[in-house]
Amino acid sequence: MTSPTIVVESTQVGRGFWTDLSRVIRSILRSKPATLGFALVTLHVLLAVFAPLLAPGNPTSNNPAAVLQFPGGAYPLGTDTLGRDILSRTLYGGQYALTVSFASTALAVLLGTIIAGLAAFYGGWLDQVITRLLDSVLAVPAILAMLVLVTVFGSGPEVIVLAVVVVYTGGVTRVVRAAAMDIMPKDYIVAARARGEGVFYILSREVFPNILDVVLVEFAMRASWVVLLVSSLSFLGFGANPPTPDWGLMVAENRSLMAVVPLATLAPIVFLATLIVGLNLAADGLAKSLGVDRMKEILG
Amino acid sequence: MLTRFVLPRLGWAVVTIMLATMLVFGAMQALPGDAATQILGQNATPEAVFTLRRQLGLDQAPLERFITWLGHALTGNFGTSLVSGQPVGPEVGRALLNTSFLAGITIVVGFTLALVLGLVAGLFRDRWPDSLISTVALVGMSIPEFIVATLLVLMFSITIPIFPAVVVAGQNATIAELAPSMPLPALSLMFVASAYIIRMMRTSVIDVMETDYVHTARLKGISMARLVVKHVVPSAILPTLNVVAMNVAWLIGGVVVVESIFNYPGMGSLMIQSVQSRDLPTILLITVIGAMTFVICNLLADLAATLLNPRLRYPRNSK
């Protein structure tokens, strides 16, 4: 503990990953809305994972003998026009929404963070080119880009993931780049550069750990938007293919019969809404406990 | 201010719009089959397809076609629709007018209401009006337009039938003919688009209420009404304008969903139709308009941020 460098090292060791994690978790549990948010998201994950055990029937099997049934008996929430069990379809619906949204958000945030790191590290013309190019991608209305990509490549889940990555990576990059730019002039990075450390070392050991809070909030926030966008796409007929059990698709299928079997429309609506409310509350709680300004992140 | 701030940005705006159009153009090239096969259908003879392709100029190389398109576009000629054979300009123009009407109502009524609600929530921080308004904003942020629209139809077209569930006036309807079916589409858009504005306004009102000059003003015994009008609103509204500008750009996505639900003859419906029928000239013009909206909103947001923080005016000296 004689030279100043060692002091810097020891403070960094002092705020270790696990200490930070437990602090964040405690701060989230102290806030009721944040706890509710994480509970809702966990509940939805569990429902989707255990849907095969929980669902009373098969979500895609038609039953011409039991079309548009009222709730009761073998069909707790009734059936749709093809005689499919609404409860089973609703329970299974989370699988598509959660996997597609989680995979695409994770990919977009990962890719965006790497691009942002490189842009911030190298700066200069590379940074300019990346920023301008991503601005152009952002300028294409998200929904139009998705419609075009789905029309070109078909509407399989992997295409939806790709389309979300195309549409959202630019936004993630913008936010993360700003955060990375803020810490680039800091002494520990200048020192690492002076030591002659490579780009991989500096980004993975110095830059990313120090902007992890921004990246995490970005992930939580984007996740809620992606669920929203993916379900809207399914609703428009450009997302999940029938007969996939998907909430957006279910609303589209059953909307015209709302006066006859309201639950066929309302059940997926309730599931989708609670999932996104949960994601939003969780994102708020995470932002607050990490000290990140969420509105600033939205504006990029 | 003008030369250092606005002009370079305008230059980049043009480049951005051009690149965005190029990206969409490029993506559309990857489509299997083209407008010629689309128009003539499955049973067309190869000769007929060939002739039509020549007429439509589809036999040229993609880059060549893009440059031709760009040259014409710069003189205001956006080509003819591959589906209707009519010039794209007037067709898209009509849709744009209808959409602007819908979006205009949403922006004027919805955004004003959102600013007021945000102000009320901020002033009554942590008391019941705030809890109520914040919850509404959270719900608005969390439910997609198609759900709001569906629930509104359930409430106001099925349960209490006061508003029509779909627009029955056709493609060429005038604004006056569309007006009666406006309330539900406009409400759906307003609810979703206002959420972030309410939130931002609330946050910035709370920030302003904590500042020294507001404390001083209160200690001087200024009336609440005067405090709000003179001090709180002017300072709180600037950071919010940023969100308002971004929301106008986001409105595009909502418009597509809402128009398709209510069968409203605007840009959103036209976008879905033209993507489905691979009508490239129409898609490109829609892209140009969409990108322009985005760029202009961004520019306005930047301007608002600059007005708020004069240090940003000279980026080089800010460090």
Side-chain angles (χ1 to χ4, degrees), chain A residues 132 136 139-140 143-144 151-152 174 225 231 235-236 255 258 269 273 276-277 280 284 298, chain B residues 12 19-20 27 31 141-143 146-147 150 196 199 250 256 260-261 271 275 287 291 294 298:
Chain A
R132 294 302 167 195
S136 319
V140 181
I143 194 106
L144 175 63
T151 313
V152 173
R174 216 161 134 167
W225 292 351
S231 67
F235 175 83
L236 288 175
R255 205 166 56 93
M258 237 175 344
I269 285 183
I276 309 181
V277 167
N280 262 316
D284 277 349
I298 289 172
Chain B
W12 278 116
L19 275 174
L31 268 179
M141 275 163 66
S142 303
I143 57 178
F146 74 86
I147 288 189
T150 305
Y196 282 97
R199 227 183 133 115
W250 286 346
V256 174
S260 124
I261 291 178
M271 186 194 285
V275 171
T287 311
F294 176 86
N298 250 317

mmCIF file of all heavy atoms in Angstrom, chain A residues 132 136 139-140 143-144 151-152 174 225 231 235-236 255 258 269 273 276-277 280 284 298, chain B residues 12 19-20 27 31 141-143 146-147 150 196 199 250 256 260-261 271 275 287 291 294 298:
data_model
loop_
_atom_site.group_PDB
_atom_site.id
_atom_site.type_symbol
_atom_site.label_atom_id
_atom_site.label_comp_id
_atom_site.label_asym_id
_atom_site.label_seq_id
_atom_site.Cartn_x
_atom_site.Cartn_y
_atom_site.Cartn_z
ATOM 1 N N ARG A 132 -22.614 7.038 -38.617
ATOM 2 C CA ARG A 132 -23.462 7.477 -39.732
ATOM 3 C C ARG A 132 -24.263 6.322 -40.317
ATOM 4 O O ARG A 132 -25.435 6.458 -40.637
ATOM 5 C CB ARG A 132 -22.600 8.086 -40.847
ATOM 6 C CG ARG A 132 -21.920 9.364 -40.472
ATOM 7 C CD ARG A 132 -22.910 10.418 -40.057
ATOM 8 N NE ARG A 132 -22.220 11.515 -39.412
ATOM 9 C CZ ARG A 132 -22.807 12.444 -38.692
ATOM 10 N NH1 ARG A 132 -24.112 12.403 -38.513
ATOM 11 N NH2 ARG A 132 -22.123 13.413 -38.144
ATOM 12 N N SER A 136 -28.405 5.765 -40.372
ATOM 13 C CA SER A 136 -29.240 5.492 -41.548
ATOM 14 C C SER A 136 -30.136 4.298 -41.311
ATOM 15 O O SER A 136 -31.301 4.291 -41.707
ATOM 16 C CB SER A 136 -28.369 5.206 -42.775
ATOM 17 O OG SER A 136 -27.295 6.077 -42.808
ATOM 18 N N ALA A 139 -32.931 5.340 -39.312
ATOM 19 C CA ALA A 139 -33.874 6.225 -39.986
ATOM 20 C C ALA A 139 -34.953 5.452 -40.736
ATOM 21 O O ALA A 139 -36.022 5.981 -41.014
ATOM 22 C CB ALA A 139 -33.133 7.147 -40.947
ATOM 23 N N VAL A 140 -34.664 4.194 -41.080
ATOM 24 C CA VAL A 140 -35.710 3.382 -41.710
ATOM 25 C C VAL A 140 -36.702 3.026 -40.610
ATOM 26 O O VAL A 140 -36.304 2.492 -39.588
ATOM 27 C CB VAL A 140 -35.126 2.086 -42.299
ATOM 28 C CG1 VAL A 140 -36.215 1.273 -42.961
ATOM 29 C CG2 VAL A 140 -34.023 2.403 -43.280
ATOM 30 N N ILE A 143 -40.768 -0.692 -38.235
ATOM 31 C CA ILE A 143 -41.804 -1.620 -38.684
ATOM 32 C C ILE A 143 -41.652 -1.915 -40.177
ATOM 33 O O ILE A 143 -41.832 -3.046 -40.620
ATOM 34 C CB ILE A 143 -43.195 -1.075 -38.319
ATOM 35 C CG1 ILE A 143 -44.260 -2.160 -38.450
ATOM 36 C CG2 ILE A 143 -43.573 0.116 -39.139
ATOM 37 C CD1 ILE A 143 -44.748 -2.674 -37.159
ATOM 38 N N LEU A 144 -41.252 -0.886 -40.959
ATOM 39 C CA LEU A 144 -41.061 -1.100 -42.393
ATOM 40 C C LEU A 144 -39.899 -2.055 -42.632
ATOM 41 O O LEU A 144 -39.999 -2.998 -43.437
ATOM 42 C CB LEU A 144 -40.799 0.239 -43.099
ATOM 43 C CG LEU A 144 -40.459 0.151 -44.590
ATOM 44 C CD1 LEU A 144 -41.616 -0.432 -45.377
ATOM 45 C CD2 LEU A 144 -40.093 1.518 -45.154
ATOM 46 N N THR A 151 -40.830 -10.279 -45.454
ATOM 47 C CA THR A 151 -41.293 -10.598 -46.798
ATOM 48 C C THR A 151 -40.182 -11.257 -47.609
ATOM 49 O O THR A 151 -40.414 -12.194 -48.365
ATOM 50 C CB THR A 151 -41.753 -9.318 -47.534
ATOM 51 O OG1 THR A 151 -42.581 -8.578 -46.648
ATOM 52 C CG2 THR A 151 -42.515 -9.631 -48.786
ATOM 53 N N VAL A 152 -38.959 -10.764 -47.423
ATOM 54 C CA VAL A 152 -37.850 -11.299 -48.194
ATOM 55 C C VAL A 152 -37.445 -12.688 -47.713
ATOM 56 O O VAL A 152 -37.263 -13.609 -48.504
ATOM 57 C CB VAL A 152 -36.631 -10.347 -48.133
ATOM 58 C CG1 VAL A 152 -35.426 -10.985 -48.790
ATOM 59 C CG2 VAL A 152 -36.957 -9.028 -48.807
ATOM 60 N N ARG A 174 -25.798 3.217 -30.119
ATOM 61 C CA ARG A 174 -25.796 4.643 -29.831
ATOM 62 C C ARG A 174 -25.658 4.904 -28.329
ATOM 63 O O ARG A 174 -24.839 5.719 -27.897
ATOM 64 C CB ARG A 174 -27.121 5.223 -30.341
ATOM 65 C CG ARG A 174 -26.995 6.591 -30.903
ATOM 66 C CD ARG A 174 -28.188 6.857 -31.771
ATOM 67 N NE ARG A 174 -28.725 8.168 -31.477
ATOM 68 C CZ ARG A 174 -29.607 8.774 -32.255
ATOM 69 N NH1 ARG A 174 -30.056 8.167 -33.319
ATOM 70 N NH2 ARG A 174 -30.048 9.951 -31.945
ATOM 71 N N TRP A 225 -39.529 -3.620 -25.201
ATOM 72 C CA TRP A 225 -39.911 -3.129 -26.541
ATOM 73 C C TRP A 225 -39.967 -4.266 -27.541
ATOM 74 O O TRP A 225 -40.819 -4.282 -28.431
ATOM 75 C CB TRP A 225 -38.912 -2.098 -27.044
ATOM 76 C CG TRP A 225 -38.931 -0.818 -26.294
ATOM 77 C CD1 TRP A 225 -39.864 -0.446 -25.353
ATOM 78 C CD2 TRP A 225 -37.997 0.256 -26.388
ATOM 79 N NE1 TRP A 225 -39.556 0.781 -24.872
ATOM 80 C CE2 TRP A 225 -38.428 1.237 -25.482
ATOM 81 C CE3 TRP A 225 -36.869 0.473 -27.156
ATOM 82 C CZ2 TRP A 225 -37.737 2.433 -25.316
ATOM 83 C CZ3 TRP A 225 -36.192 1.663 -27.000
ATOM 84 C CH2 TRP A 225 -36.623 2.640 -26.088
ATOM 85 N N SER A 231 -44.854 -9.089 -30.833
ATOM 86 C CA SER A 231 -46.269 -9.442 -30.777
ATOM 87 C C SER A 231 -47.067 -8.629 -31.794
ATOM 88 O O SER A 231 -48.008 -9.139 -32.401
ATOM 89 C CB SER A 231 -46.808 -9.247 -29.364
ATOM 90 O OG SER A 231 -46.797 -7.885 -29.035
ATOM 91 N N PHE A 235 -49.353 -10.028 -34.757
ATOM 92 C CA PHE A 235 -50.728 -9.565 -34.916
ATOM 93 C C PHE A 235 -50.994 -9.158 -36.360
ATOM 94 O O PHE A 235 -52.039 -9.469 -36.925
ATOM 95 C CB PHE A 235 -50.985 -8.379 -33.984
ATOM 96 C CG PHE A 235 -52.329 -7.754 -34.168
ATOM 97 C CD1 PHE A 235 -53.446 -8.286 -33.554
ATOM 98 C CD2 PHE A 235 -52.486 -6.639 -34.978
ATOM 99 C CE1 PHE A 235 -54.692 -7.729 -33.738
ATOM 100 C CE2 PHE A 235 -53.732 -6.079 -35.172
ATOM 101 C CZ PHE A 235 -54.839 -6.618 -34.547
ATOM 102 N N LEU A 236 -50.020 -8.499 -36.987
ATOM 103 C CA LEU A 236 -50.203 -8.046 -38.366
ATOM 104 C C LEU A 236 -50.111 -9.190 -39.371
ATOM 105 O O LEU A 236 -50.360 -9.011 -40.549
ATOM 106 C CB LEU A 236 -49.138 -6.995 -38.716
ATOM 107 C CG LEU A 236 -49.299 -5.627 -38.068
ATOM 108 C CD1 LEU A 236 -48.111 -4.744 -38.410
ATOM 109 C CD2 LEU A 236 -50.581 -4.960 -38.528
ATOM 110 N N ARG A 255 -60.150 -11.709 -32.615
ATOM 111 C CA ARG A 255 -60.651 -10.355 -32.410
ATOM 112 C C ARG A 255 -62.060 -10.159 -32.968
ATOM 113 O O ARG A 255 -62.903 -9.531 -32.338
ATOM 114 C CB ARG A 255 -59.692 -9.393 -33.119
ATOM 115 C CG ARG A 255 -59.657 -8.015 -32.595
ATOM 116 C CD ARG A 255 -58.449 -7.302 -33.158
ATOM 117 N NE ARG A 255 -58.440 -7.339 -34.617
ATOM 118 C CZ ARG A 255 -58.964 -6.378 -35.379
ATOM 119 N NH1 ARG A 255 -59.533 -5.341 -34.822
ATOM 120 N NH2 ARG A 255 -58.917 -6.468 -36.685
ATOM 121 N N MET A 258 -64.959 -11.222 -30.714
ATOM 122 C CA MET A 258 -64.890 -10.750 -29.338
ATOM 123 C C MET A 258 -66.234 -10.734 -28.644
ATOM 124 O O MET A 258 -66.327 -10.967 -27.442
ATOM 125 C CB MET A 258 -64.307 -9.348 -29.320
ATOM 126 C CG MET A 258 -63.097 -9.264 -28.461
ATOM 127 S SD MET A 258 -62.249 -7.717 -28.481
ATOM 128 C CE MET A 258 -62.799 -6.839 -29.868
ATOM 129 N N ILE A 269 -54.344 -11.179 -24.173
ATOM 130 C CA ILE A 269 -54.069 -9.774 -23.871
ATOM 131 C C ILE A 269 -53.539 -9.635 -22.445
ATOM 132 O O ILE A 269 -52.545 -8.956 -22.194
ATOM 133 C CB ILE A 269 -55.348 -8.909 -24.056
ATOM 134 C CG1 ILE A 269 -55.627 -8.706 -25.542
ATOM 135 C CG2 ILE A 269 -55.212 -7.577 -23.351
ATOM 136 C CD1 ILE A 269 -56.802 -7.822 -25.857
ATOM 137 N N ALA A 273 -49.840 -8.299 -21.625
ATOM 138 C CA ALA A 273 -49.738 -7.044 -20.879
ATOM 139 C C ALA A 273 -48.975 -7.247 -19.577
ATOM 140 O O ALA A 273 -48.101 -6.441 -19.235
ATOM 141 C CB ALA A 273 -51.131 -6.481 -20.611
ATOM 142 N N ILE A 276 -45.213 -7.522 -20.246
ATOM 143 C CA ILE A 276 -44.514 -6.281 -20.584
ATOM 144 C C ILE A 276 -44.506 -5.318 -19.395
ATOM 145 O O ILE A 276 -43.509 -4.640 -19.155
ATOM 146 C CB ILE A 276 -45.099 -5.619 -21.848
ATOM 147 C CG1 ILE A 276 -45.173 -6.649 -22.979
ATOM 148 C CG2 ILE A 276 -44.226 -4.460 -22.291
ATOM 149 C CD1 ILE A 276 -45.704 -6.120 -24.271
ATOM 150 N N VAL A 277 -45.610 -5.274 -18.624
ATOM 151 C CA VAL A 277 -45.595 -4.447 -17.414
ATOM 152 C C VAL A 277 -44.473 -4.932 -16.502
ATOM 153 O O VAL A 277 -43.685 -4.132 -15.968
ATOM 154 C CB VAL A 277 -46.958 -4.507 -16.675
ATOM 155 C CG1 VAL A 277 -46.839 -3.931 -15.280
ATOM 156 C CG2 VAL A 277 -48.012 -3.741 -17.458
ATOM 157 N N ASN A 280 -41.140 -3.840 -17.821
ATOM 158 C CA ASN A 280 -40.938 -2.405 -17.619
ATOM 159 C C ASN A 280 -40.596 -2.077 -16.167
ATOM 160 O O ASN A 280 -39.700 -1.285 -15.900
ATOM 161 C CB ASN A 280 -42.194 -1.633 -18.029
ATOM 162 C CG ASN A 280 -42.070 -1.070 -19.421
ATOM 163 O OD1 ASN A 280 -41.035 -0.522 -19.774
ATOM 164 N ND2 ASN A 280 -43.101 -1.215 -20.219
ATOM 165 N N ASP A 284 -37.158 -0.514 -14.810
ATOM 166 C CA ASP A 284 -37.134 0.668 -13.936
ATOM 167 C C ASP A 284 -36.338 0.402 -12.673
ATOM 168 O O ASP A 284 -35.499 1.205 -12.266
ATOM 169 C CB ASP A 284 -38.561 1.044 -13.521
ATOM 170 C CG ASP A 284 -39.249 1.882 -14.570
ATOM 171 O OD1 ASP A 284 -38.563 2.333 -15.500
ATOM 172 O OD2 ASP A 284 -40.468 2.063 -14.465
ATOM 173 N N ILE A 298 -33.309 6.060 -23.157
ATOM 174 C CA ILE A 298 -34.325 5.986 -24.201
ATOM 175 C C ILE A 298 -33.979 6.940 -25.334
ATOM 176 O O ILE A 298 -34.086 6.629 -26.502
ATOM 177 C CB ILE A 298 -35.715 6.326 -23.625
ATOM 178 C CG1 ILE A 298 -36.177 5.192 -22.725
ATOM 179 C CG2 ILE A 298 -36.711 6.595 -24.732
ATOM 180 C CD1 ILE A 298 -37.414 5.488 -21.955
ATOM 181 N N TRP B 12 -25.837 15.938 -43.363
ATOM 182 C CA TRP B 12 -25.870 14.543 -42.934
ATOM 183 C C TRP B 12 -27.269 13.957 -43.043
ATOM 184 O O TRP B 12 -27.431 12.773 -43.318
ATOM 185 C CB TRP B 12 -25.352 14.405 -41.505
ATOM 186 C CG TRP B 12 -23.865 14.361 -41.474
ATOM 187 C CD1 TRP B 12 -23.034 15.275 -40.887
ATOM 188 C CD2 TRP B 12 -23.023 13.376 -42.089
ATOM 189 N NE1 TRP B 12 -21.737 14.912 -41.106
ATOM 190 C CE2 TRP B 12 -21.691 13.766 -41.823
ATOM 191 C CE3 TRP B 12 -23.268 12.220 -42.830
ATOM 192 C CZ2 TRP B 12 -20.600 13.023 -42.278
ATOM 193 C CZ3 TRP B 12 -22.179 11.490 -43.286
ATOM 194 C CH2 TRP B 12 -20.871 11.888 -43.012
ATOM 195 N N LEU B 19 -28.966 6.864 -47.722
ATOM 196 C CA LEU B 19 -28.477 5.546 -47.305
ATOM 197 C C LEU B 19 -29.632 4.649 -46.870
ATOM 198 O O LEU B 19 -29.674 3.465 -47.207
ATOM 199 C CB LEU B 19 -27.483 5.701 -46.143
ATOM 200 C CG LEU B 19 -26.038 5.989 -46.537
ATOM 201 C CD1 LEU B 19 -25.212 6.255 -45.289
ATOM 202 C CD2 LEU B 19 -25.457 4.799 -47.294
ATOM 203 N N ALA B 20 -30.578 5.239 -46.129
ATOM 204 C CA ALA B 20 -31.720 4.456 -45.653
ATOM 205 C C ALA B 20 -32.492 3.892 -46.843
ATOM 206 O O ALA B 20 -32.869 2.707 -46.865
ATOM 207 C CB ALA B 20 -32.626 5.333 -44.790
ATOM 208 N N ALA B 27 -32.425 -4.528 -49.852
ATOM 209 C CA ALA B 27 -33.121 -5.667 -49.243
ATOM 210 C C ALA B 27 -34.185 -6.208 -50.183
ATOM 211 O O ALA B 27 -34.369 -7.423 -50.309
ATOM 212 C CB ALA B 27 -33.748 -5.243 -47.916
ATOM 213 N N LEU B 31 -35.540 -10.381 -52.879
ATOM 214 C CA LEU B 31 -36.819 -11.090 -52.972
ATOM 215 C C LEU B 31 -36.835 -12.074 -54.134
ATOM 216 O O LEU B 31 -36.414 -11.741 -55.238
ATOM 217 C CB LEU B 31 -37.942 -10.078 -53.211
ATOM 218 C CG LEU B 31 -38.657 -9.533 -52.019
ATOM 219 C CD1 LEU B 31 -39.699 -8.539 -52.472
ATOM 220 C CD2 LEU B 31 -39.311 -10.650 -51.240
ATOM 221 N N MET B 141 -47.020 2.468 -21.619
ATOM 222 C CA MET B 141 -45.717 2.028 -22.115
ATOM 223 C C MET B 141 -45.711 0.535 -22.386
ATOM 224 O O MET B 141 -44.892 0.043 -23.154
ATOM 225 C CB MET B 141 -44.650 2.290 -21.050
ATOM 226 C CG MET B 141 -44.067 3.663 -21.057
ATOM 227 S SD MET B 141 -43.227 3.952 -19.496
ATOM 228 C CE MET B 141 -41.900 2.772 -19.585
ATOM 229 N N SER B 142 -46.593 -0.184 -21.690
ATOM 230 C CA SER B 142 -46.476 -1.641 -21.673
ATOM 231 C C SER B 142 -47.436 -2.365 -22.592
ATOM 232 O O SER B 142 -47.267 -3.558 -22.810
ATOM 233 C CB SER B 142 -46.681 -2.169 -20.259
ATOM 234 O OG SER B 142 -45.765 -1.593 -19.387
ATOM 235 N N ILE B 143 -48.477 -1.698 -23.069
ATOM 236 C CA ILE B 143 -49.334 -2.480 -23.940
ATOM 237 C C ILE B 143 -49.293 -1.965 -25.366
ATOM 238 O O ILE B 143 -49.359 -0.776 -25.615
ATOM 239 C CB ILE B 143 -50.777 -2.647 -23.412
ATOM 240 C CG1 ILE B 143 -51.439 -1.315 -23.180
ATOM 241 C CG2 ILE B 143 -50.789 -3.430 -22.122
ATOM 242 C CD1 ILE B 143 -52.861 -1.497 -22.723
ATOM 243 N N PHE B 146 -52.057 -2.605 -30.712
ATOM 244 C CA PHE B 146 -53.147 -3.475 -31.168
ATOM 245 C C PHE B 146 -54.022 -3.922 -30.007
ATOM 246 O O PHE B 146 -55.210 -4.170 -30.181
ATOM 247 C CB PHE B 146 -52.606 -4.665 -31.990
ATOM 248 C CG PHE B 146 -51.914 -5.762 -31.222
ATOM 249 C CD1 PHE B 146 -52.638 -6.800 -30.661
ATOM 250 C CD2 PHE B 146 -50.542 -5.754 -31.098
ATOM 251 C CE1 PHE B 146 -51.987 -7.821 -29.983
ATOM 252 C CE2 PHE B 146 -49.886 -6.776 -30.429
ATOM 253 C CZ PHE B 146 -50.613 -7.809 -29.858
ATOM 254 N N ILE B 147 -53.438 -3.974 -28.799
ATOM 255 C CA ILE B 147 -54.250 -4.336 -27.636
ATOM 256 C C ILE B 147 -55.139 -3.167 -27.230
ATOM 257 O O ILE B 147 -56.329 -3.340 -26.978
ATOM 258 C CB ILE B 147 -53.336 -4.769 -26.467
ATOM 259 C CG1 ILE B 147 -52.733 -6.138 -26.784
ATOM 260 C CG2 ILE B 147 -54.121 -4.814 -25.171
ATOM 261 C CD1 ILE B 147 -51.998 -6.753 -25.631
ATOM 262 N N THR B 150 -57.888 -3.005 -29.699
ATOM 263 C CA THR B 150 -58.845 -4.104 -29.523
ATOM 264 C C THR B 150 -59.751 -3.844 -28.329
ATOM 265 O O THR B 150 -60.971 -4.032 -28.403
ATOM 266 C CB THR B 150 -58.070 -5.423 -29.329
ATOM 267 O OG1 THR B 150 -57.186 -5.595 -30.419
ATOM 268 C CG2 THR B 150 -59.021 -6.594 -29.260
ATOM 269 N N TYR B 196 -44.496 7.966 -22.615
ATOM 270 C CA TYR B 196 -43.136 8.409 -22.307
ATOM 271 C C TYR B 196 -43.084 9.912 -22.041
ATOM 272 O O TYR B 196 -42.246 10.393 -21.290
ATOM 273 C CB TYR B 196 -42.178 8.024 -23.438
ATOM 274 C CG TYR B 196 -41.803 6.575 -23.396
ATOM 275 C CD1 TYR B 196 -42.466 5.642 -24.184
ATOM 276 C CD2 TYR B 196 -40.806 6.125 -22.544
ATOM 277 C CE1 TYR B 196 -42.137 4.300 -24.132
ATOM 278 C CE2 TYR B 196 -40.472 4.791 -22.477
ATOM 279 C CZ TYR B 196 -41.132 3.878 -23.279
ATOM 280 O OH TYR B 196 -40.817 2.551 -23.207
ATOM 281 N N ARG B 199 -44.124 10.586 -18.518
ATOM 282 C CA ARG B 199 -43.029 10.199 -17.643
ATOM 283 C C ARG B 199 -41.916 11.223 -17.597
ATOM 284 O O ARG B 199 -41.431 11.607 -16.540
ATOM 285 C CB ARG B 199 -42.465 8.889 -18.178
ATOM 286 C CG ARG B 199 -42.261 7.871 -17.137
ATOM 287 C CD ARG B 199 -41.644 6.704 -17.817
ATOM 288 N NE ARG B 199 -40.531 6.299 -17.000
ATOM 289 C CZ ARG B 199 -40.500 5.120 -16.383
ATOM 290 N NH1 ARG B 199 -41.481 4.287 -16.537
ATOM 291 N NH2 ARG B 199 -39.486 4.808 -15.644
ATOM 292 N N TRP B 250 -41.522 7.747 -33.485
ATOM 293 C CA TRP B 250 -42.032 6.427 -33.088
ATOM 294 C C TRP B 250 -43.461 6.201 -33.529
ATOM 295 O O TRP B 250 -43.912 5.080 -33.688
ATOM 296 C CB TRP B 250 -41.981 6.270 -31.572
ATOM 297 C CG TRP B 250 -40.613 6.060 -31.055
ATOM 298 C CD1 TRP B 250 -39.506 5.730 -31.782
ATOM 299 C CD2 TRP B 250 -40.185 6.154 -29.696
ATOM 300 N NE1 TRP B 250 -38.420 5.620 -30.954
ATOM 301 C CE2 TRP B 250 -38.810 5.880 -29.673
ATOM 302 C CE3 TRP B 250 -40.841 6.444 -28.507
ATOM 303 C CZ2 TRP B 250 -38.066 5.890 -28.494
ATOM 304 C CZ3 TRP B 250 -40.108 6.452 -27.338
ATOM 305 C CH2 TRP B 250 -38.735 6.184 -27.337
ATOM 306 N N VAL B 256 -48.891 2.232 -38.318
ATOM 307 C CA VAL B 256 -49.047 1.055 -39.172
ATOM 308 C C VAL B 256 -50.045 0.076 -38.554
ATOM 309 O O VAL B 256 -50.977 -0.392 -39.205
ATOM 310 C CB VAL B 256 -47.688 0.352 -39.393
ATOM 311 C CG1 VAL B 256 -47.872 -0.934 -40.158
ATOM 312 C CG2 VAL B 256 -46.741 1.267 -40.119
ATOM 313 N N SER B 260 -54.006 -0.475 -39.762
ATOM 314 C CA SER B 260 -54.391 -1.768 -40.282
ATOM 315 C C SER B 260 -55.580 -2.334 -39.502
ATOM 316 O O SER B 260 -56.462 -2.974 -40.068
ATOM 317 C CB SER B 260 -53.180 -2.700 -40.276
ATOM 318 O OG SER B 260 -53.436 -3.858 -39.566
ATOM 319 N N ILE B 261 -55.650 -2.068 -38.193
ATOM 320 C CA ILE B 261 -56.783 -2.557 -37.399
ATOM 321 C C ILE B 261 -58.082 -1.880 -37.820
ATOM 322 O O ILE B 261 -59.114 -2.519 -37.975
ATOM 323 C CB ILE B 261 -56.533 -2.299 -35.903
ATOM 324 C CG1 ILE B 261 -55.416 -3.191 -35.401
ATOM 325 C CG2 ILE B 261 -57.813 -2.526 -35.097
ATOM 326 C CD1 ILE B 261 -55.072 -2.965 -33.966
ATOM 327 N N MET B 271 -48.303 0.976 -46.592
ATOM 328 C CA MET B 271 -47.016 0.315 -46.402
ATOM 329 C C MET B 271 -47.189 -1.201 -46.427
ATOM 330 O O MET B 271 -46.474 -1.915 -47.143
ATOM 331 C CB MET B 271 -46.409 0.752 -45.066
ATOM 332 C CG MET B 271 -45.006 0.246 -44.825
ATOM 333 S SD MET B 271 -44.494 0.450 -43.101
ATOM 334 C CE MET B 271 -44.169 2.193 -43.028
ATOM 335 N N VAL B 275 -45.705 -3.619 -49.383
ATOM 336 C CA VAL B 275 -44.721 -4.662 -49.087
ATOM 337 C C VAL B 275 -45.254 -6.006 -49.573
ATOM 338 O O VAL B 275 -44.536 -6.797 -50.176
ATOM 339 C CB VAL B 275 -44.378 -4.707 -47.585
ATOM 340 C CG1 VAL B 275 -43.530 -5.926 -47.269
ATOM 341 C CG2 VAL B 275 -43.617 -3.459 -47.171
ATOM 342 N N THR B 287 -40.328 4.957 -47.606
ATOM 343 C CA THR B 287 -39.068 4.982 -46.854
ATOM 344 C C THR B 287 -38.521 6.402 -46.769
ATOM 345 O O THR B 287 -38.078 6.842 -45.701
ATOM 346 C CB THR B 287 -38.017 4.090 -47.546
ATOM 347 O OG1 THR B 287 -38.604 2.831 -47.830
ATOM 348 C CG2 THR B 287 -36.802 3.901 -46.668
ATOM 349 N N ALA B 291 -37.942 8.175 -43.323
ATOM 350 C CA ALA B 291 -36.598 8.600 -42.930
ATOM 351 C C ALA B 291 -36.551 10.103 -42.707
ATOM 352 O O ALA B 291 -35.900 10.598 -41.789
ATOM 353 C CB ALA B 291 -35.587 8.182 -43.996
ATOM 354 N N PHE B 294 -37.998 10.875 -39.366
ATOM 355 C CA PHE B 294 -37.040 10.531 -38.321
ATOM 356 C C PHE B 294 -35.940 11.592 -38.218
ATOM 357 O O PHE B 294 -35.616 12.071 -37.132
ATOM 358 C CB PHE B 294 -36.425 9.166 -38.634
ATOM 359 C CG PHE B 294 -35.345 8.746 -37.683
ATOM 360 C CD1 PHE B 294 -35.670 8.092 -36.507
ATOM 361 C CD2 PHE B 294 -34.015 9.004 -37.958
ATOM 362 C CE1 PHE B 294 -34.682 7.706 -35.619
ATOM 363 C CE2 PHE B 294 -33.021 8.623 -37.077
ATOM 364 C CZ PHE B 294 -33.358 7.974 -35.909
ATOM 365 N N ASN B 298 -35.225 14.140 -35.160
ATOM 366 C CA ASN B 298 -33.933 14.096 -34.488
ATOM 367 C C ASN B 298 -33.293 15.469 -34.437
ATOM 368 O O ASN B 298 -32.725 15.877 -33.427
ATOM 369 C CB ASN B 298 -32.995 13.158 -35.261
ATOM 370 C CG ASN B 298 -32.731 11.906 -34.484
ATOM 371 O OD1 ASN B 298 -32.502 11.961 -33.287
ATOM 372 N ND2 ASN B 298 -32.782 10.786 -35.159
#
